[in-house]
Amino acid sequence: NADDYLTAEIENTKEQSAVIVPKEYDLEIYPTINVLKYGNYTFRNISGKIDINEGIAQIENGQSKLFDGKIKFDGKYDTSKDGAPFFDFKYNMDDLKFQEMFKKSESFKLLAPIAAFIEGIFNSTLIISGPLKTDMLPDLTKINASGFLETVRGKITGFKPLEDLANTLKISELAKMDIKDSKNWFDIKDGVVSIKPHDYSISDMSFTVGGSHSLDQTIDYIIKAKIPRAKLKDANLGSALEKGMSTLEEAASSRGVNLDLGENIFLDIYLTGSITKPKLKIIPIGS
């Protein structure tokens, strides 16, 4: 039956060469597939239209359940040219769990490593294209993608860059962040994920976060922070601090910045290094 055939075809790719769409075929297929396994993904209740013509399999109005969430997709799998097969897809994903995607999707694990530290649910729209390897999985170093990820609800815990920032500023609220209804726009090119600046509010503080990270887990982010002067004083900033905000004030003075005015302190926080070994540089820019 069709289910057995599709399972056999996908299992055969483990052997392994890419599946070639015959150029002489001209078909329209309207499949209903109960279960389809692709790597660590298990898709259920798949429907849609597959148009096969001139070495291209075009999928329209695809729908499926994935990891207790839902996914809709359109796109093509193209073997009409010599060389590696090429894919070009658009996905809309709803109600997916960060932890489950991180555990079962190698691509997600590499492209969104922070997901390992988030408990929660997200939606996402993604346009993605690139070559496939012989195992029928994307070559992440060569893909191009853009889209957004909306955190419906989530809590970040155990993420070392945030923990280090919290310890440096002596503001414990930063170590564990609650995220809700947050949309992050991103682009992916040549294995680098670029996150467009996005605003976050935590208690009476505000942060604009943007930057990039790579498949090798190196990070390059800048956080523009606005923190109440009273909160920094109450936090007793810095292990060597004895006089209010003297650490920040000394850094500001060396740059000709006056922190004596206003109830808020503005900081540029540079986050580099790697996810497991982050480096922080905090520059006061005004008040």
Coordinates of all heavy atoms in Angstrom, one line a residue, residues 6-14 16 18-19 33 35-44 46 64-67 71 73 77 85-87 89 91 101 104-107 128 130-140 143:
L6 N 6.0 4.4 0.7 CA 6.6 5.6 1.1 C 7.6 5.4 2.2 O 8.7 5.9 2.2 CB 5.6 6.7 1.5 CG 4.9 7.4 0.4 CD1 3.7 8.1 0.9 CD2 5.8 8.3 -0.4
T7 N 7.2 4.6 3.2 CA 8.2 4.2 4.3 C 9.4 3.6 3.8 O 10.5 3.9 4.1 CB 7.5 3.3 5.3 OG1 6.4 4.0 5.9 CG2 8.4 3.0 6.5
A8 N 9.2 2.6 2.8 CA 10.3 1.9 2.2 C 11.2 2.8 1.5 O 12.5 2.8 1.6 CB 9.8 0.8 1.3
E9 N 10.7 3.8 0.7 CA 11.5 4.7 0.0 C 12.3 5.6 0.9 O 13.5 5.8 0.6 CB 10.5 5.6 -0.9 CG 10.0 4.9 -2.1 CD 11.1 4.6 -3.1 OE1 11.8 5.5 -3.6 OE2 11.4 3.4 -3.4
I10 N 11.7 6.1 2.0 CA 12.5 6.9 2.9 C 13.5 6.1 3.6 O 14.6 6.6 3.8 CB 11.5 7.7 3.8 CG1 10.7 8.7 3.0 CG2 12.3 8.4 4.9 CD1 9.5 9.3 3.7
E11 N 13.2 4.9 4.0 CA 14.2 4.1 4.6 C 15.4 3.8 3.7 O 16.5 3.7 4.1 CB 13.6 2.7 5.1 CG 12.6 2.9 6.3 CD 13.4 3.3 7.5 OE1 14.5 2.8 7.8 OE2 12.8 4.1 8.3
N12 N 15.1 3.6 2.4 CA 16.2 3.3 1.4 C 17.1 4.5 1.3 O 18.3 4.3 0.9 CB 15.5 3.0 0.1 CG 14.9 1.7 0.0 OD1 15.2 0.8 0.9 ND2 14.0 1.4 -1.0
T13 N 16.7 5.7 1.7 CA 17.7 6.8 1.5 C 18.8 6.7 2.5 O 19.8 7.4 2.4 CB 16.9 8.2 1.7 OG1 16.4 8.2 3.1 CG2 15.8 8.4 0.7
K14 N 18.7 5.8 3.5 CA 19.8 5.7 4.5 C 20.9 4.9 3.9 O 22.0 4.8 4.5 CB 19.2 4.9 5.7 CG 18.2 5.7 6.5 CD 17.6 4.9 7.7 CE 16.6 5.7 8.4 NZ 16.0 4.9 9.6
Q16 N 23.2 5.1 0.5 CA 22.3 6.3 0.5 C 22.6 7.1 -0.7 O 23.8 7.5 -0.9 CB 22.6 7.0 1.8 CG 21.7 8.2 1.9 CD 20.8 8.0 3.1 OE1 20.6 6.9 3.5 NE2 20.4 9.0 3.7
A18 N 20.5 10.4 -3.1 CA 19.3 11.2 -3.1 C 18.3 10.6 -4.1 O 18.6 10.1 -5.1 CB 19.7 12.6 -3.5
V19 N 17.0 10.8 -3.7 CA 15.9 10.4 -4.6 C 15.8 11.3 -5.8 O 15.8 12.5 -5.6 CB 14.6 10.4 -3.8 CG1 13.4 10.0 -4.7 CG2 14.6 9.4 -2.7
I33 N -1.8 10.4 4.0 CA -0.8 9.6 4.6 C -1.0 9.6 6.1 O -1.0 10.7 6.7 CB 0.6 10.0 4.2 CG1 0.8 10.1 2.7 CG2 1.7 9.1 4.8 CD1 2.0 10.7 2.2
V35 N 0.9 8.1 8.5 CA 2.2 8.3 9.3 C 3.3 8.3 8.2 O 3.4 7.5 7.4 CB 2.5 7.2 10.3 CG1 3.8 7.4 11.0 CG2 1.3 7.1 11.3
L36 N 4.2 9.3 8.3 CA 5.4 9.4 7.5 C 6.6 9.8 8.4 O 6.5 10.8 9.1 CB 5.2 10.4 6.4 CG 6.4 10.4 5.3 CD1 5.8 10.7 3.9 CD2 7.4 11.4 5.7
K37 N 7.6 9.0 8.3 CA 8.8 9.3 9.1 C 10.0 9.8 8.2 O 10.2 9.2 7.2 CB 9.3 8.0 9.9 CG 8.3 7.6 10.9 CD 8.8 6.4 11.8 CE 7.8 6.0 12.9 NZ 8.3 4.9 13.7
Y38 N 10.6 10.9 8.7 CA 11.7 11.5 7.9 C 12.7 11.9 8.9 O 12.5 12.8 9.7 CB 11.1 12.7 7.2 CG 12.2 13.6 6.5 CD1 13.0 13.1 5.6 CD2 12.3 14.9 6.9 CE1 13.9 13.9 5.0 CE2 13.2 15.8 6.3 CZ 14.0 15.3 5.3 OH 15.0 16.1 4.7
G39 N 13.8 11.1 9.0 CA 14.8 11.3 10.1 C 14.1 11.1 11.4 O 13.5 10.1 11.7
N40 N 14.2 12.1 12.3 CA 13.6 12.0 13.6 C 12.2 12.6 13.7 O 11.6 12.6 14.7 CB 14.5 12.7 14.7 CG 15.8 12.0 15.0 OD1 15.8 10.8 14.9 ND2 16.8 12.7 15.3
Y41 N 11.7 13.1 12.5 CA 10.4 13.6 12.4 C 9.4 12.6 12.2 O 9.6 11.7 11.3 CB 10.3 14.7 11.3 CG 11.3 15.8 11.4 CD1 12.5 15.8 10.7 CD2 10.9 17.0 12.1 CE1 13.4 16.8 10.8 CE2 11.8 18.0 12.1 CZ 13.0 18.0 11.5 OH 13.9 19.0 11.5
T42 N 8.2 12.6 12.8 CA 7.1 11.8 12.5 C 5.9 12.7 12.2 O 5.4 13.4 13.1 CB 6.7 10.9 13.7 OG1 7.8 10.0 14.0 CG2 5.5 10.0 13.4
F43 N 5.5 12.7 10.9 CA 4.4 13.5 10.4 C 3.2 12.6 10.4 O 3.2 11.4 10.0 CB 4.7 14.0 9.0 CG 5.8 14.9 8.9 CD1 7.1 14.5 8.6 CD2 5.6 16.3 9.1 CE1 8.2 15.3 8.5 CE2 6.7 17.2 9.0 CZ 8.0 16.7 8.7
R44 N 2.0 13.1 10.9 CA 0.8 12.4 10.9 C -0.3 13.1 10.2 O -0.4 14.4 10.2 CB 0.4 12.1 12.4 CG 1.4 11.3 13.2 CD 0.9 11.0 14.6 NE 2.0 10.4 15.3 CZ 2.2 9.1 15.3 NH1 1.5 8.3 14.5 NH2 3.2 8.5 16.0
I46 N -1.1 13.5 6.9 CA -0.6 14.4 5.8 C -1.6 14.4 4.7 O -2.1 13.4 4.3 CB 0.8 13.9 5.3 CG1 1.8 13.9 6.4 CG2 1.2 14.8 4.1 CD1 3.2 13.4 5.9
S64 N -0.1 18.8 8.0 CA 0.3 17.7 8.8 C 0.3 18.0 10.2 O 0.3 19.2 10.6 CB 1.7 17.2 8.4 OG 2.1 16.1 9.2
K65 N 0.3 17.0 11.1 CA 0.5 17.2 12.5 C 1.9 16.8 12.8 O 2.5 15.8 12.2 CB -0.4 16.3 13.3 CG -1.9 16.8 13.3 CD -2.8 15.9 14.2 CE -4.2 16.5 14.2 NZ -5.1 15.6 15.1
L66 N 2.6 17.6 13.7 CA 4.0 17.3 14.0 C 4.2 17.7 15.5 O 4.0 18.8 15.9 CB 4.9 18.1 13.1 CG 6.4 18.1 13.4 CD1 7.0 16.7 13.1 CD2 7.2 19.1 12.6
F67 N 4.7 16.7 16.3 CA 5.0 16.9 17.7 C 3.9 17.6 18.4 O 4.1 18.6 19.1 CB 6.3 17.8 17.8 CG 7.5 17.2 17.1 CD1 8.5 18.0 16.7 CD2 7.6 15.8 16.9 CE1 9.6 17.5 16.0 CE2 8.7 15.3 16.2 CZ 9.7 16.2 15.8
I71 N 1.4 21.9 11.1 CA 2.3 22.5 10.1 C 1.6 22.5 8.8 O 0.9 21.6 8.4 CB 3.6 21.7 10.1 CG1 4.6 22.4 9.0 CG2 3.4 20.3 9.7 CD1 6.0 21.8 9.1
F73 N 2.5 23.6 4.6 CA 3.7 23.8 3.8 C 3.3 23.8 2.3 O 2.4 23.1 1.9 CB 4.7 22.8 4.1 CG 4.2 21.4 4.1 CD1 4.3 20.6 3.0 CD2 3.7 20.8 5.3 CE1 3.9 19.3 3.0 CE2 3.2 19.5 5.3 CZ 3.3 18.7 4.1
Y77 N 10.6 20.1 -4.5 CA 11.8 19.3 -4.4 C 12.3 19.1 -5.9 O 11.6 18.5 -6.7 CB 11.5 18.0 -3.8 CG 12.7 17.0 -3.8 CD1 13.8 17.1 -3.1 CD2 12.6 15.8 -4.6 CE1 14.8 16.2 -3.1 CE2 13.6 14.9 -4.7 CZ 14.7 15.1 -3.9 OH 15.7 14.2 -4.0
P85 N 20.2 17.6 -5.2 CA 18.8 18.1 -5.2 C 18.6 19.4 -4.5 O 19.3 19.7 -3.5 CB 18.0 16.9 -4.5 CG 18.9 15.8 -4.5 CD 20.3 16.3 -4.5
F86 N 17.6 20.1 -4.9 CA 17.4 21.5 -4.3 C 16.0 21.5 -3.8 O 15.0 21.0 -4.4 CB 17.6 22.5 -5.4 CG 17.5 23.9 -5.0 CD1 18.6 24.6 -4.4 CD2 16.3 24.7 -5.0 CE1 18.6 25.9 -4.0 CE2 16.3 26.0 -4.6 CZ 17.4 26.6 -4.1
F87 N 15.8 22.2 -2.6 CA 14.4 22.3 -2.1 C 14.2 23.8 -1.9 O 15.1 24.6 -1.6 CB 14.3 21.6 -0.8 CG 15.0 22.2 0.4 CD1 14.3 22.9 1.3 CD2 16.4 22.0 0.6 CE1 15.0 23.5 2.4 CE2 17.0 22.5 1.7 CZ 16.3 23.3 2.6
F89 N 10.9 25.8 0.2 CA 9.7 25.6 0.9 C 9.3 26.8 1.7 O 10.1 27.6 2.1 CB 9.8 24.4 1.8 CG 9.5 23.0 1.2 CD1 10.4 22.4 0.3 CD2 8.2 22.5 1.4 CE1 10.0 21.2 -0.3 CE2 7.9 21.3 0.8 CZ 8.8 20.6 0.0
Y91 N 6.9 27.3 5.2 CA 6.2 26.6 6.3 C 5.5 27.6 7.2 O 6.0 28.7 7.4 CB 7.2 25.8 7.2 CG 8.1 24.8 6.5 CD1 9.3 25.1 6.0 CD2 7.6 23.5 6.4 CE1 10.1 24.1 5.4 CE2 8.4 22.5 5.8 CZ 9.6 22.8 5.3 OH 10.4 21.9 4.7
M101 N 11.2 20.0 19.7 CA 11.8 20.3 18.5 C 13.4 20.2 18.7 O 14.1 19.7 17.8 CB 11.5 21.7 18.0 CG 10.1 21.8 17.3 SD 10.2 21.0 15.6 CE 11.2 22.1 14.7
K104 N 14.5 16.5 18.8 CA 14.3 15.6 17.6 C 14.7 16.3 16.3 O 14.7 15.6 15.3 CB 12.8 15.3 17.6 CG 12.4 14.4 18.8 CD 10.9 14.0 18.7 CE 10.5 13.1 19.8 NZ 9.1 12.7 19.8
S105 N 15.0 17.5 16.3 CA 15.4 18.2 15.0 C 16.9 18.7 15.1 O 17.2 19.6 15.8 CB 14.5 19.4 14.7 OG 15.0 20.1 13.6
E106 N 17.7 18.0 14.3 CA 19.1 18.4 14.3 C 19.3 19.9 13.7 O 20.1 20.6 14.2 CB 20.0 17.5 13.5 CG 20.2 16.1 14.2 CD 21.0 16.3 15.5 OE1 21.9 17.1 15.6 OE2 20.6 15.6 16.5
S107 N 18.5 20.2 12.7 CA 18.5 21.5 12.1 C 18.2 22.6 13.2 O 18.8 23.6 13.3 CB 17.6 21.6 10.9 OG 18.0 20.7 9.9
I128 N 12.5 28.8 3.2 CA 13.8 28.2 3.3 C 14.1 27.5 2.0 O 13.3 26.9 1.4 CB 13.9 27.3 4.5 CG1 15.4 26.7 4.6 CG2 12.9 26.2 4.4 CD1 15.6 26.0 5.9
G130 N 17.6 25.6 -0.4 CA 19.0 25.2 -0.4 C 19.2 23.7 -0.9 O 18.2 23.1 -1.3
P131 N 20.4 23.3 -1.0 CA 20.7 21.9 -1.5 C 20.4 20.9 -0.4 O 20.5 21.2 0.8 CB 22.1 21.9 -1.9 CG 22.7 23.0 -1.0 CD 21.7 24.0 -0.8
L132 N 20.1 19.6 -0.8 CA 20.0 18.5 0.1 C 21.2 17.6 0.0 O 21.8 17.5 -1.1 CB 18.7 17.7 -0.1 CG 17.4 18.4 0.2 CD1 16.3 17.6 -0.4 CD2 17.3 18.5 1.7
K133 N 21.7 17.0 1.1 CA 22.8 16.0 1.0 C 22.2 14.7 0.6 O 21.0 14.5 0.4 CB 23.4 16.0 2.4 CG 24.0 17.3 2.9 CD 24.6 17.2 4.2 CE 23.6 16.9 5.3 NZ 24.1 16.9 6.7
T134 N 23.1 13.7 0.4 CA 22.7 12.4 0.0 C 21.7 11.7 1.0 O 21.0 10.8 0.6 CB 23.9 11.5 -0.3 OG1 24.7 11.4 0.9 CG2 24.7 12.0 -1.4
D135 N 21.8 12.1 2.3 CA 20.9 11.6 3.3 C 19.5 12.3 3.2 O 18.7 12.0 4.1 CB 21.5 11.6 4.7 CG 21.8 13.0 5.1 OD1 21.5 14.0 4.4 OD2 22.3 13.2 6.2
M136 N 19.3 13.1 2.2 CA 18.0 13.9 2.1 C 17.8 14.9 3.2 O 16.6 15.4 3.3 CB 16.8 12.9 2.0 CG 16.9 11.9 0.8 SD 16.7 12.8 -0.8 CE 15.0 13.2 -0.7
L137 N 18.8 15.3 3.9 CA 18.7 16.3 4.9 C 19.4 17.6 4.4 O 20.3 17.5 3.6 CB 19.3 15.9 6.2 CG 18.5 14.7 6.9 CD1 19.3 14.2 8.1 CD2 17.1 15.1 7.3
P138 N 18.9 18.8 4.8 CA 19.5 20.0 4.3 C 21.0 20.2 4.6 O 21.4 19.8 5.7 CB 18.7 21.1 5.0 CG 17.5 20.4 5.5 CD 17.8 19.0 5.8
D139 N 21.7 20.8 3.7 CA 23.1 21.2 4.0 C 23.0 22.6 4.7 O 22.8 23.6 4.0 CB 23.9 21.3 2.7 CG 25.4 21.6 3.0 OD1 25.7 22.1 4.1 OD2 26.2 21.4 2.1
L140 N 23.1 22.6 6.0 CA 22.8 23.9 6.7 C 23.9 25.0 6.4 O 23.6 26.1 6.7 CB 22.8 23.6 8.2 CG 21.7 22.6 8.7 CD1 21.8 22.4 10.2 CD2 20.3 23.1 8.3
I143 N 22.2 26.8 3.2 CA 20.8 27.2 3.1 C 20.6 28.7 3.2 O 21.4 29.4 3.8 CB 19.9 26.5 4.1 CG1 20.3 27.0 5.6 CG2 19.9 25.0 4.0 CD1 19.3 26.5 6.6

